[in-house]
Amino acid sequence: MGRRWRDGRGTLVVHGDGGAPPVRVPLEIAASYRARTRGLLGRDSVDGAILLSPAGGVHTFRMRFPIDVAYLDRRLRVVAVRTMRPGRLGLPRIRSRHVLEAEAGAMAGWGVRVGGRVEVAAAE
């Protein structure tokens, strides 16, 4: 059930708890080695979230702001969520196949939680 995306834009759909309506967030998809390596480096902010795929871990060296990191398994279930300050090395997660990054605090507002599910709708 491997997913392959291309670099570009899309929408992150966060499925809430208990029948809450899904939250739709602007998404940047970084699927190539070059785009994943660049990620959020050198930026002052991010509009929505960025998906690094495939990815099992991240670092925040040379980042300018703290970020939320959600580790996703192959079915896009959230296996861990962490907030990382600049200059940190995140531990890789065994079951992680994809990583979402957003500005610190954003994911809690969207309802991204361990055990929750997200969808990625790539722009056509």
Side-chain angles (χ1 to χ4, degrees):
M1 191 169 171
R3 288 175 164 72
R4 299 297 269 171
W5 291 288
R6 292 186 172 175
D7 293 347
R9 297 217 156 268
T11 302
L12 175 70
V13 182
V14 180
H15 295 279
D17 298 329
V23 175
R24 301 177 72 79
V25 177
L27 182 68
E28 183 177 330
I29 300 169
S32 69
Y33 175 79
R34 183 174 178 167
R36 288 191 319 267
T37 302
R38 185 174 54 243
L40 295 176
L41 296 179
R43 299 191 199 185
D44 292 319
S45 65
V46 58
D47 177 28
I50 183 169
L51 174 73
L52 309 176
S53 177
V58 296
H59 69 81
T60 57
F61 302 119
R62 296 183 10 232
M63 285 215 183
R64 298 178 179 169
F65 56 96
I67 61 170
D68 283 346
V69 178
Y71 298 87
L72 309 175
D73 70 11
R74 65 188 57 201
R75 292 196 167 110
L76 301 182
R77 289 224 176 258
V78 179
V79 296
V81 181
R82 298 285 181 264
T83 299
M84 294 176 63
R85 295 192 322 260
R88 301 285 187 233
L89 177 62
L91 297 173
R93 305 290 177 213
I94 299 295
R95 295 184 345 241
S96 178
R97 297 292 179 268
H98 319 281
V99 174
L100 276 173
E101 296 179 342
E103 288 189 29
M107 290 191 189
W110 301 333
V112 175
R113 289 173 184 58
V114 172
R117 190 172 57 87
V118 300
E119 283 181 57
V120 173
E124 296 302 320

